Structure formats: C-alpha cells, structure tokens
Amino acid sequence: MTADNEIDIKEAFQRAQRGHNNKAKLVASLKSRYIKLEDKTLFHEEFVHYLKYAMIVYKREPTVENVIEFVARFATSFQSPPKTDEEEEKQENGEEEDEEDDEEDDHPFLSFIFNFLLEFHKANSHAVRFRVCQLINKLLGSMAENAQIDDDLFDRIHQAMLVRVTDKFPNVRIQAALAMTRLQQPKDPDCPTINAYMLILENDTNAEVRRAVLSCIAMSPRTLPKVIKRTRDIKENVRKLAYQVLADKVHIKALTIAQRVSLLQQGLRDTSEAVREVLSSRLLPAWLVRLDGNIIEMLHRLDVENCAETALDTLKAIFKGTATEELLQNRVQLDNRKLIPVDSLSCENVLYWRALCEFIKARGDDGDEMLEQVLPDAATYADYLSGYLKAVPLLSEEQRADFNQLELVMTKEFISQQLIHLIGCLDTNEEGGRKRVLAVLQEMLALPQTPSSLVSLLTEKLLSLILDDHRRIQTVAEIISDVREPIMEASQSVDQNESRRQQVQLAEVKVRIMEAKQTLEDCITAQEFNRAADIKNSIAELENRRNQIIQEIAESSQPADKDIRIEKNDPETLLRCLTMCAELLKQMSIKTRIGPTISALMSSLVLPSIANAHPAVRNMAVVCLGTCTLHSKELAKNHMVLLLQIAQLDEVKIRISALRSIIDLLLLFGFQLLSEAAANQTALPSQSPDRQEEDTPVMEERGDAPEDSAQSILVMLSEFLDSEVSDLRTETAEGLAKLMYTGRISSAKMLSRLVLLWYNPVTEDDMRLRHCLGVFFQLYARESRVHQEVVEESFLPTVRTLMNAPATSPLAEVDINNVVELLVELTRPSALIKPSTNTEEVCVHDYLAVRMCGEMLKDPTAPEVRVYAKTLSNLELSRDETVRKDLLTLLQQLVQVVKDRVCLRALEKMVYQLLDSKEQAELLSASALQPLDVNADEAAADDPSKSAKRAKRGQRKVCTAKGGRKPSRRSESSEESDGENVPESVPVVRPSRRAKTAALEKTKLDLNTLINQEANVS
C-alpha cells in the first residue's frame, strides 16, 4: 500500500475474492492510485495479468465471481454519474460540455478492457470465452442508461457477441445473449441482435439459453409472436418466464383476441402448477391493472361468446386470489330481487354472475350465506328465466340472412345458456321452488319457439333435478310425445241441412209418442192390459229417441272444437326429440335396463330417423342408437352390424359418431360381442382382400370371438388411419389407443402404425392427435411388462417401414434416430410404474438386443445396421450371465462381418462393456492414468466428442452405469443448465450437514495460491 487510501493491484484482487469486503472501497482506493499515475500502461498490463487468473476458471466459484464483479465495477467507475433533468437541459445549451462528456465516456481504461476482452473472445478455452462474454455483459450492464461508447467499439462488441451466441457451450451463449441486451434496436426491422434472439428462441436446444433471451429481448410486433410461442415450450421454466415477460412488458391491448384466449387457455390448463400460478398471480393482475380493475371490460376483450369455458376458468382464477369481502363488493349490478334487470343483461355480466355463483357454490356450506346474497330463491328465478326464454325471437329463413338480426339472436341464446347453467346453483331443496323450476323447464322444452341450441342444456338441467331413472324416462317421454304429437284443435261449422233433417225427425218422434199415448188409454179402457204393456215400452223407446235427437240438435246448433293429435316429422321436430332422447340416455345409469318406454322410443323415433334425409337428424339418431346399445347387450348384438355399415358409408360426421359407438361397445363388452352379433346377422363389413393380406393385426383371443370378425374390425380401423379426413383419423387413433390400453387388443403392428402416425409430418397440425398419442405411449408402456413386450415387437417393423419409405413418402422426412430413442425409452425396465419382482424374468431390452443382433447378421451391409449398433449401447441390459454370454457371442460374430467403421466402433464398445470384471481389471492395471487438467472434467462433460476421442487414444473408460448408457449429446455443463437432460442418478445415502460443510470447504477455489505461485516462479 502506498497510502492509506490507496492499494496495489495484487492486494485489490486478493481482497476482492472475499465476498464480505466492501467493493466500493476497493474500487475507490484502486481508482485513486490509478488517477495519480502518469503512465497508465504498466497499470493496464498488471491489471490484466491478475485478471487472467480468474478468466481461466470455468466453474462458477464464488471467489471468481467476486473478482469479475470487482473488475466490472472498477472499469465502469471512470464514467460520469447519470445526469439529472436540469443538467441535461444545461447540456443542450453548451457544446463544450458535450465534448468533455464524450471524452469522459470514452475513458482509456474502459476502452482498454473492452479491447482486451474482444481480443480473446475466440480463444480455444471455453472458460476464457465464457468469462469474456460474462465481463462484457457486466460492463455494459453497469454503465449508465445514457452512457455512450464509440461507434467502432460498439460494432466490434456487436459482431463478437453475434459470434458467441452460436458457441457450442450453453453458458457462453447465455452470457453473450445477455451482453447484447443493450445493443438491441427494436425499431430497426433488420436489427441483427433481434434476429439472433428470435433464431435462438426458435432453435436453441438449451432451455437456459432460451430463458436468458426471453429475459432480455425487447418487445416489438416482430418479437411478440416468438415470445408467445415460448409459452408452449417443452420446459416448465421457459414457459413460466414467458408468462412473466408478457405480464411485465406487454399491454393487453397489444395482443389480439386470439392471442389473449390462447394464452389463458394454455396457461390455466398447463401441466405445471408453477406455470398456472404465474398466470394467476402475475399475468391476470397485470391485465386488470391496465384496465383499471374492470373485470367486465377484460371479459369484453376476450370475446366470451366464443370462449366461454376459458373465460370461466379465468374468472375462477381471479376469484381464488380475491378476498371474500371484495367478491361481494365486485358483484354484478343486481336489483332488489337479486337479479340482473333484463335490459342490462349482456354476455359479459351474465357470465360473471354465473362464474361468481358457481365459485361460491363450490365452497360448500361455507358459501351458502354468500350465495343467498347474489342469487334469489328458486321460484323467483324460474319465473325470471321463463320470461327471458319466451322473449328470445325465432327467426325465419329470410331473417337469418340478415347478419345483424342473427347476431342479436345468437347473443340472446348465449345469455339464455348462462341463465340455464345458473339453475345448478339454486337451492332446490324446498319443494315448492323445485316444482316451479321443473314446470318451467318442461314448459320450455315443449314450446316450439324454444331455440334448438337450448334443448340439450334444458334437458340436462331437468334430469339433474330428477334423481329416479324411471321418473326421468317417463318425464322425457311425455315431453317428446307433446313435441312430436301436439294436441291440435279442429273446429266444425253448423250444417243447415243436417239441422233441418234433425228437426223433422224430432217432430215425427213427438207425433208417434202422442199417438202411442192415445192408444195406451184406449187399451186400458178396453182392459187389454197385455197390449197396454207393450205400448208403454214403445213409448219409453220413443222418448229416449226424442231426447237423443234433442241432444244432437243442441250440439250441432253451435260450432264444436275437437282436440286431435297430429304427428310431426319435420327435421327440426325430429332433431329436438332425438336431442332430448340422447341426453336422457346419457344421464341414465349404465345399470338401468331398457324398458318398454325406451323400446317404444327406439322403434318409433330413433330407428326410423336413421334413414332420414337430413344429416343432422341421422347423426343424432346414430348417437341415440349407440348410447342405447350400451344399456343392453342384446340391443348391441342386434345393431352392431348397422353401426359398422354407417361407419363406412355415411357422411364424415355421422361416420365419426358411429365409430365412437363401436369403440364404446368394444370397450364395454369386448370382441366376443362380434361372435354373438355374427350369429344373429351374418353380414360383416366387406374389406378388400389385398388390404386384409397387407395389414392383419394380431388379436388376443377373447373367449369365442371369431378371428375373421375381429380382423374385419381392425382392418377397417386400420384403413381409417390412412384417411385424408383428419377428424376421422384422429377419432380412430384415439379409439385404438383406448382399446390397447384397456387390453381389449394387443397388436404390435397396430402400435407400429400409431407410432408412425404420430411422427408422420402429415399430422403435424393435428394437435389433438399428437397430444392423445403422446400421452398414450407413456401410459401404455409404463403400465406393465406385457405392454413393453408389445412395444419391443413393434420395434423392428417400425424401423423397416421408415428405412424402406420411398423418397416421395412423408415418412422419408422422419428422423429414425428419434423414433428409435422413443421406443428404447418406452421399453426401459426402470420406466415401469410397478417393476417386476421376478428376478429370473428376462429383461425386455435383452430380447431387443438379441433381435437387433440377429437382424444385423442377416445383412451386415444394410443401412439400418448403423442405427441398430448405435442403439445397443443405450439399452438397460440385465445382469443375467446367460443372456450376456449369448449377446457377447452374437456381438463377436458381428465384429467379424461388419465393415462400417462407425458400426464397428459401437460394437467393439458394446463387447468391451460385456467383458467380465476380471478382464476389465487386467486392462485397467496395464494402463497408465493420464494427467488431469483443471477444467478437464468440466470440458469432458460439456463436450462428449472430446471425451470419446480421449478414450480412444488412451485406455477406454469403464462404464459402470446399468446397461452402459452413454451420456447424451445434449448434456449440459453449467449450474444454469444442470436441470436439463441429466439422467436420473442412483439414490445414495444423504451425508450429514457437517460432512457436506467440510466437503464444500475443500472444494472452494482460492486464486491466491495461483497468484503467489506465479510470483515465486517469476
């Protein structure tokens, strides 16, 4: 030390290593010394000399990080502090001050440090490149916001960092990306930094690099879609940061409606709890703050009519983070009846009302009191709902052509749907209120003015209030009867001729009565009592006839109205009836048998509608038929062939409905249903004989199920997998996945088809298909060892299909190595949910290894031999000595016949791994250990290619991992990327805290040793 406030460079670096030292004092002391020097050259050289000791260390040691931080502070301390607004105004008035500021900004020491770092950014050592980028990042980050640097220096830094963001080491790319943060020019459409950032976000394989770019990329119309795409990143941390960036940097108005809905839909349904939490706690509050806390306004910006479910999930996420008192304060504008006035109803406020009531209802008993404050009693609400539904207009065909009227009716129907959903929140325990709600629902279903879009929902709510299945059936059957056969009043006019004829008849009868009475008196006088009795009887008959004629005259004297039932068969009526029937069958318990009422509906409504000319009627009839057959095995046997024919011959939508019904029947009853159906009806779906020979998946024997019937079904499904209609293809794949997962079928060839379909570029845009199969493969293979054997059987056919695919086929673009890696991972014994306890059981990978060796021996020159040889080293082989000896024999034969160098090297490595431990020990004892470098282990971990070359030149490393898995090419080397692509380690006993502390002290790096050693040598 030259003075109390000065310090030499060596001591400054030594003190800077210790984190508890005050960096500001060190910087001030060293700066004081530097200012007093007239010749700064020696200071520069000595400063860089000690800096190099830290730059050769790649590991993120605390001492090294402290030194780097000290260097950055010292270099930027020569810049003038940020100016206030008053100083900037004064600066505008004087040019001399500008020149002085420029001189201060371009300080010689700062320029010297930048030039030194840029000189070594292409060094061979990845540690030096990492520290260079890290220092440049810290230097630029420590500079003031209004700092300026020379244009030439700016360009040199820019070019160097653009090179380093393509470095092979992830940590170097991270620091280079961070260093370019202040070099962005978002307003420039051709900004190289922005272009590099977008390229990294799209293509960089390291998640931490993508995270670094996300944290520093500037928002602009060009970069926004790239950031939004990262919300669908494969890594949880990247998705989480993407939502944080959008919350902090992007206004809700900068997003389109589709983008807002997509962000909410994916974020709220993300598999990661952390991502869902970020969206609920960061993105939604940020949007609300920018909209002044107006939730209704936010719903308006989501277009809730087309994304009601997403809007509901969003509201419930907001409610979870809101206090109870605020929930009641922020409720919609209800009147004294606790209802929204009809004139004030809108899509947004009615959806908010529904979400609030459902959220409070979900709290159970705790929310009953709150629910009473936002919802009226059942009877009042039923009258409110009835009044609104009756006011929904029914448009004619001409009115539907008017878009404004159509939009108005669609809005009213949406509001009606939300009001109907609110029935589920009502307190229907009180008998009077429940009866009133039931009466309103039945009335609305029977009214022909009720929109068809509300029929299904009304039926669902009606059935939810009726618990007994038989009463449900009776109620819906009565409504269907009223809708299809309404009571019509037929009036009759008075016929004058008929009235005159009746008057004449009445007069004749009266005359005959008078004559008979006169005759009766004469007989009595003559004492002819027998004749008098007969006349008396005839008089009684004539009086009855007179009364009948008088009654007929009275009835015909005024027009009469008669009630008659007329059956309606128009498509709209049939569709309404079938919709109610389908909803009834869905709500019924699967154990409820088909009674006379359902049978009558089937014969009079469902089956005749299958032949209807209207496609929507046929589709709903097929849905009813398929649902009804689930309740009766006899019905399923009788109509299975009909469903199969519909699945092949009708329109696409109807074929999909029939296919769903077939899959459900096979899942419920199994393939033995086909034998019984074949006994009743011999007609089976015809398939081309060429197709049957080409693809005949193996079917597990299921009771007495005939082989040809099962094959016919599977061949039909296999043809659907090749359909150009994406919906049919997706539904078939999903159905096959269900059948295989439940064990109804076990087919290696069918599994191979599904794997190829998943990788086929044709299905790239079919997100539902990709998601379904991606989940299925994992669940299916991990479920049991039997399933893994099916995957193992599909391995070779899948590889052969890909290798033999013609150049014009989409399968030619598929990466075979990726497919092989998937199949190997699916068949790993360690991937099973419940590993087998049978130690004598041969491992699936053992079978796979033997089959691949046999395939390679058939044709050693085949192109797939290289794929097989590479795959062998990734298998988890068992410890069974017999299997290892057999496999070793096959490998030794392969070594003799295979000529390809890459394959031969992989096979020799596999042979070496299978050698006995004694032979390995002899080989190791005969070899000499090579001297180790400081960064050798880290470099080997980061660069597998160097590690492989080192093993080839010297003695080969013994692989102690189970099955000899080689490290992944994407293995990472830094603390930032330790969590990615790291294989699961074998669990070990956790050391004590004292042991860990002692080990940590031993591993701490101290640069003083190197510095002192260098000083002694010099």
Side-chain angles (χ1 to χ4, degrees):
M1 238 195 234
T2 58
D4 292 340
N5 59 345
E6 296 179 9
I7 189 174
D8 60 7
I9 300 176
K10 179 179 178 181
E11 186 175 353
F13 272 87
Q14 289 175 339
R15 289 189 179 184
Q17 297 180 51
R18 295 187 285 272
H20 61 273
N21 272 295
N22 192 328
K23 297 288 191 307
K25 290 184 178 180
L26 288 177
V27 168
S29 300
L30 196 60
K31 183 178 179 181
S32 175
R33 175 190 174 97
Y34 178 81
I35 294 174
K36 292 181 178 181
L37 294 175
E38 295 182 0
D39 186 6
K40 307 290 194 295
T41 305
L42 294 178
F43 185 93
H44 292 172
E45 294 177 356
E46 186 178 358
F47 189 91
V48 166
H49 172 76
Y50 290 113
L51 175 60
K52 289 179 180 178
Y53 289 105
M55 294 182 63
I56 62 174
V57 181
Y58 182 67
K59 192 174 181 181
R60 303 295 292 268
E61 292 284 351
T63 54
V64 181
E65 297 301 315
N66 291 333
V67 170
I68 297 297
E69 182 67 25
F70 164 72
V71 172
R73 286 194 182 188
F74 179 74
T76 55
S77 65
F78 294 97
Q79 281 197 318
S80 57
K83 290 181 172 55
T84 62
D85 296 338
E86 297 178 356
E87 294 176 346
E88 289 180 358
E89 292 178 0
K90 293 180 181 179
Q91 183 179 353
E92 293 176 358
N93 299 327
E95 297 179 357
E96 296 180 358
E97 293 182 1
D98 290 340
E99 296 177 358
E100 293 177 359
D101 288 341
D102 291 340
E103 292 177 0
E104 289 182 0
D105 285 337
D106 297 333
H107 195 275
F109 182 80
L110 186 60
S111 301
F112 169 76
I113 288 294
F114 273 123
N115 292 329
F116 166 75
L117 294 174
L118 294 174
E119 183 181 352
F120 292 99
H121 85 92
K122 293 184 179 180
N124 292 331
S125 172
H126 60 284
V128 174
R129 299 198 303 273
F130 168 67
R131 294 299 176 183
V132 166
C133 295
Q134 183 188 26
L135 255 176
I136 292 178
N137 173 33
K138 286 186 176 294
L139 288 172
L140 293 175
S142 300
M143 296 172 68
E145 292 185 4
N146 56 354
Q148 298 179 357
I149 59 174
D150 184 66
D151 290 342
D152 181 53
L153 180 59
F154 176 91
D155 294 337
R156 290 175 59 199
I157 295 174
H158 202 179
Q159 294 300 322
M161 294 301 101
L162 286 174
V163 173
R164 291 280 62 84
V165 290
T166 61
D167 198 280
K168 64 190 296 186
F169 285 86
N171 274 343
V172 180
R173 300 201 299 272
I174 290 173
Q175 295 300 326
L178 295 174
M180 289 196 299
T181 303
R182 301 188 66 175
L183 307 181
Q184 301 177 81
Q185 297 176 353
K187 296 182 180 180
D188 183 5
D190 298 323
C191 176
T193 302
I194 298 292
N195 294 335
Y197 278 169
M198 293 193 296
L199 191 65
I200 291 171
L201 288 177
E202 288 284 340
N203 302 315
D204 202 293
T205 57
N206 187 275
E208 294 301 323
V209 179
R210 300 195 298 273
R211 288 186 76 246
V213 173
L214 274 177
S215 65
C216 59
I217 190 170
M219 288 295 107
S220 68
R222 290 179 60 215
T223 59
L224 182 58
K226 304 296 181 182
V227 175
I228 293 176
K229 191 174 182 180
R230 286 307 99 204
T231 59
R232 302 187 296 273
D233 197 276
I234 191 174
K235 291 296 181 180
E236 171 189 332
N237 290 337
V238 180
R239 300 197 302 272
K240 180 179 175 182
L241 182 60
Y243 279 107
Q244 292 176 354
V245 170
L246 290 172
D248 297 336
K249 298 182 180 180
V250 181
H251 197 285
I252 184 174
K253 294 182 180 179
L255 302 169
T256 64
I257 293 178
Q259 288 173 337
R260 298 168 196 159
V261 174
S262 176
L263 287 173
L264 293 174
Q265 187 174 10
Q266 294 167 5
L268 291 171
R269 299 176 184 177
D270 198 284
T271 55
S272 169
E273 177 64 28
V275 176
R276 298 196 297 270
E277 180 62 26
V278 166
L279 187 137
S280 302
S281 61
R282 296 284 296 273
L283 185 64
L284 290 177
W287 285 3
L288 286 174
V289 167
R290 294 182 175 102
L291 296 174
D292 298 329
N294 192 338
I295 300 180
I296 302 298
E297 178 65 20
M298 189 183 75
L299 292 178
H300 181 69
R301 297 184 181 277
L302 295 180
D303 188 18
V304 295
E305 290 186 60
N306 297 317
C307 61
E309 292 301 321
T310 303
L312 282 173
D313 294 339
T314 303
L315 288 172
K316 290 174 183 177
I318 294 174
F319 294 156
K320 285 181 181 179
T322 307
T324 305
E325 295 76 10
E326 294 183 15
L327 283 179
L328 297 177
Q329 291 176 359
N330 296 337
R331 62 186 179 182
V332 289
Q333 298 299 324
L334 302 177
D335 57 17
N336 53 2
R337 298 179 301 163
K338 303 171 188 175
L339 295 169
I340 301 178
V342 175
D343 298 337
S344 303
L345 279 173
S346 66
C347 296
E348 291 78 22
N349 62 17
V350 73
L351 189 71
Y352 181 87
W353 189 22
R354 173 195 167 188
L356 180 61
C357 293
E358 289 181 350
F359 178 77
I360 297 174
K361 180 79 172 176
R363 291 187 172 185
D365 297 337
D366 298 337
D368 289 343
E369 294 183 4
M370 292 179 58
L371 196 60
E372 292 178 357
Q373 301 181 38
V374 295
L375 205 60
D377 60 273
T380 303
Y381 186 81
D383 296 334
Y384 175 76
L385 175 64
S386 175
Y388 188 84
L389 291 182
K390 290 179 180 178
V392 176
L394 190 63
L395 297 182
S396 61
E397 293 298 329
E398 296 179 356
Q399 291 174 328
R400 288 183 178 275
D402 187 354
F403 181 76
N404 294 328
Q405 291 190 10
L406 182 62
E407 185 180 11
L408 178 62
V409 171
M410 291 177 63
T411 300
K412 287 184 174 293
E413 288 183 5
F414 177 82
I415 295 174
S416 301
Q417 290 175 358
Q418 308 312 312
L419 293 176
I420 295 171
H421 276 293
L422 272 170
I423 294 176
C425 300
L426 295 174
D427 182 10
T428 55
N429 294 325
E430 195 267 323
E431 186 68 18
R434 187 164 59 85
K435 285 185 177 180
R436 180 57 186 153
V437 174
L438 285 173
V440 168
L441 291 175
Q442 294 180 36
E443 180 187 2
M444 289 299 103
L445 284 171
L447 279 178
Q449 292 84 7
T450 303
S452 301
S453 59
L454 304 179
V455 172
S456 177
L457 190 56
L458 286 169
T459 309
E460 178 188 346
K461 295 303 177 184
L462 173 67
L463 297 176
S464 66
L465 297 176
I466 305 174
L467 301 181
D468 183 56
D469 277 346
H470 297 290
R471 191 182 164 202
R472 287 176 171 178
I473 295 171
Q474 190 66 29
T475 303
V476 174
E478 291 176 359
I479 298 174
I480 290 176
S481 177
D482 294 339
V483 171
R484 196 178 183 200
E485 298 178 356
I487 299 176
M488 307 293 290
E489 294 182 352
S491 60
Q492 296 179 349
S493 60
V494 179
D495 190 354
Q496 298 295 332
N497 295 328
E498 181 67 20
S499 177
R500 190 179 300 109
R501 185 181 63 80
Q502 290 174 345
Q503 293 291 341
V504 172
Q505 288 181 353
L506 179 62
E508 291 178 354
V509 171
K510 287 182 177 180
V511 171
R512 291 176 61 184
I513 291 173
M514 292 174 63
E515 292 177 351
K517 286 182 177 181
Q518 184 63 38
T519 305
L520 177 62
E521 292 179 358
D522 295 342
C523 289
I524 292 174
T525 304
Q527 296 184 354
E528 297 178 359
F529 296 106
N530 291 333
R531 185 184 176 191
D534 294 336
I535 293 175
K536 187 176 181 179
N537 292 334
S538 63
I539 290 173
E541 292 178 357
L542 289 173
E543 287 179 348
N544 291 335
R545 175 62 179 162
R546 182 193 61 186
N547 295 334
Q548 182 179 358
I549 293 174
I550 292 173
Q551 185 178 1
E552 290 179 358
I553 292 174
E555 291 177 356
S556 61
S557 63
Q558 56 183 353
D561 295 333
K562 291 187 177 180
D563 293 340
I564 59 174
R565 288 185 177 272
I566 300 177
E567 187 178 40
K568 299 172 65 176
N569 288 315
D570 58 289
E572 184 177 355
T573 301
L574 290 175
L575 187 60
R576 292 166 68 91
C577 296
L578 288 169
T579 303
M580 287 187 280
C581 183
E583 195 63 39
L584 170 65
L585 293 169
K586 290 177 185 177
Q587 297 289 339
M588 283 171 49
S589 172
I590 194 70
K591 297 180 180 179
T592 303
R593 296 186 177 182
I594 300 299
T597 306
I598 296 294
S599 300
L601 287 175
M602 287 289 297
S603 59
S604 63
L605 176 65
V606 177
L607 292 177
S609 299
I610 288 181
N612 194 282
H614 201 276
V617 176
R618 290 203 309 274
N619 181 59
M620 191 56 66
V622 170
V623 172
C624 290
L625 177 62
T627 313
C628 191
T629 52
L630 295 175
H631 294 268
S632 171
K633 191 173 183 180
E634 291 297 324
L635 203 62
K637 289 187 292 185
N638 295 334
H639 296 96
M640 183 66 170
V641 175
L642 174 61
L643 290 172
L644 289 171
Q645 292 173 348
I646 295 173
Q648 299 176 85
L649 302 176
D650 215 317
E651 293 186 6
V652 173
K653 186 176 181 180
I654 305 173
R655 292 172 66 189
I656 291 175
S657 298
L659 178 61
R660 289 174 180 168
S661 301
I662 294 169
I663 297 297
D664 290 340
L665 290 174
L666 294 178
L667 288 171
L668 184 61
F669 300 116
F671 277 82
Q672 64 266 28
L673 182 68
L674 298 173
S675 61
E676 300 170 1
N680 296 337
Q681 302 181 24
T682 57
L684 287 174
S686 59
Q687 302 291 338
S688 61
D690 298 336
R691 185 67 184 174
Q692 291 182 0
E693 294 177 2
E694 176 186 355
D695 190 358
T696 55
V698 180
M699 171 68 196
E700 280 191 355
E701 295 183 1
R702 300 284 178 185
D704 298 327
E707 189 72 21
D708 54 350
S709 300
Q711 293 294 345
S712 300
I713 296 289
L714 293 178
V715 170
M716 180 191 75
L717 296 177
S718 181
E719 287 181 346
F720 288 169
L721 290 179
D722 296 330
S723 173
E724 295 181 356
V725 182
S726 61
D727 292 338
L728 182 62
R729 184 174 60 223
T730 301
E731 201 65 43
T732 305
E734 185 176 341
L736 286 170
K738 292 177 181 178
L739 290 171
M740 295 188 71
Y741 183 72
T742 55
R744 290 299 184 185
I745 57 176
S746 178
S747 171
K749 185 168 290 187
M750 193 63 75
L751 181 65
S752 176
R753 291 290 306 278
L754 293 179
V755 172
L756 294 174
L757 184 65
W758 194 48
Y759 277 99
N760 198 323
V762 175
T763 64
E764 184 176 2
D765 296 331
D766 196 342
M767 299 302 297
R768 181 185 165 202
L769 174 67
R770 291 290 181 98
H771 178 72
C772 172
L773 292 180
V775 173
F776 162 69
F777 291 141
Q778 295 292 335
L779 295 177
Y780 180 75
R782 297 178 62 195
E783 182 68 22
S784 67
R785 186 180 185 278
V786 176
H787 292 174
Q788 285 193 337
E789 291 176 357
V790 176
V791 180
E792 181 262 331
E793 290 178 14
S794 67
F795 182 87
L796 292 179
T798 304
V799 175
R800 289 196 203 102
T801 304
L802 292 174
M803 295 299 298
N804 298 330
T808 56
S809 172
L811 294 177
E813 304 175 14
V814 178
D815 184 4
I816 299 179
N817 293 322
N818 197 328
V819 180
V820 169
E821 287 177 8
L822 171 69
L823 296 176
V824 169
E825 291 297 325
L826 293 179
T827 52
R828 288 196 183 280
S830 58
L832 286 173
I833 298 176
K834 295 181 179 179
S836 176
T837 57
N838 187 4
T839 56
E840 298 180 359
E841 198 173 41
V842 181
C843 177
V844 176
H845 275 190
D846 293 342
Y847 286 123
L848 186 59
V850 172
R851 292 185 65 182
M852 284 193 293
C853 290
E855 199 71 16
M856 286 188 285
L857 285 173
K858 289 181 183 178
D859 187 5
T861 60
E864 59 264 28
V865 171
R866 180 173 290 189
V867 176
Y868 295 147
K870 179 182 177 182
T871 306
L872 283 173
S873 60
N874 290 330
L875 301 179
E876 288 184 11
L877 302 177
S878 65
R879 299 293 182 181
D880 186 80
E881 292 297 331
T882 305
V883 175
R884 285 178 170 267
K885 287 181 180 179
D886 295 342
L887 190 57
L888 185 60
T889 303
L890 292 173
L891 290 172
Q892 289 173 346
Q893 295 177 10
L894 283 170
V895 170
Q896 302 297 325
V897 296
V898 172
K899 304 300 181 184
D900 186 78
R901 290 186 177 181
V902 177
C903 298
L904 196 59
R905 192 178 305 130
L907 293 173
E908 288 176 352
K909 180 180 179 181
M910 195 66 189
V911 170
Y912 179 77
Q913 292 176 358
L914 292 174
L915 289 176
D916 293 337
S917 57
K918 292 183 180 179
E919 297 179 6
Q920 292 184 9
E922 293 175 0
L923 289 171
L924 287 175
S925 61
S927 64
L929 293 176
Q930 299 295 330
L932 296 176
D933 184 57
V934 176
N935 297 316
D937 293 338
E938 298 163 6
D942 281 310
D943 193 354
S945 60
K946 292 184 179 180
S947 178
K949 291 180 181 179
R950 186 182 300 112
K952 183 178 178 182
R953 290 195 297 268
Q955 295 297 326
R956 295 180 179 178
K957 296 172 66 178
V958 180
C959 182
T960 58
K962 184 178 180 181
R965 286 186 70 186
K966 65 181 181 180
S968 171
R969 291 177 298 175
R970 298 178 181 177
S971 60
E972 308 302 335
S973 60
S974 65
E975 285 75 17
E976 292 93 346
S977 55
D978 285 342
E980 181 175 354
N981 298 327
V982 179
E984 295 183 1
S985 59
V986 180
V988 296
V989 180
R990 184 176 179 179
S992 65
R993 183 177 296 276
R994 182 176 299 177
K996 290 192 291 185
T997 304
L1000 184 62
E1001 291 294 333
K1002 291 182 180 179
T1003 57
K1004 281 186 177 179
L1005 181 64
D1006 189 1
L1007 294 178
N1008 293 331
T1009 306
L1010 293 175
I1011 295 175
N1012 295 331
Q1013 182 180 358
E1014 183 70 18
N1016 295 333
V1017 172
S1018 59

